[in-house]
Amino acid sequence: MVKIATWAAMLGLIVVLLGILSRFGNFITINQRTGCFIIGFSLMLLGTIWKVVLEMNEREH
């Protein structure tokens, strides 16, 4: 399960980097770039929290 959380956080990072790169390449619109940032940062946050919670539960058992 920790691998899934790591993948979610990494996917969020890729989406954010895609939004940053699109600023220089203009291959997506401003509205899509804003969506990339919102979705990417949300995935990174949720993936990180999910990973921490899973690791805390493993220590209890």
Side-chain angles (χ1 to χ4, degrees):
M1 285 300 252
V2 175
K3 281 191 171 188
I4 296 172
T6 303
W7 280 104
M10 293 304 291
L11 179 64
L13 180 64
I14 290 169
V15 170
V16 168
L17 290 176
L18 179 70
I20 292 171
L21 290 176
S22 73
R23 180 171 287 202
F24 302 110
N26 289 332
F27 53 88
I28 60 176
T29 64
I30 293 175
N31 290 337
Q32 291 171 336
R33 187 182 313 146
T34 304
C36 283
F37 288 138
I38 292 170
I39 292 170
F41 284 126
S42 298
L43 278 172
M44 287 191 316
L45 177 67
L46 292 175
T48 304
I49 291 172
W50 190 9
K51 186 175 180 179
V52 168
V53 168
L54 288 174
E55 288 178 355
M56 287 176 63
N57 286 339
E58 286 178 359
R59 290 182 192 156
E60 290 178 2
H61 292 129

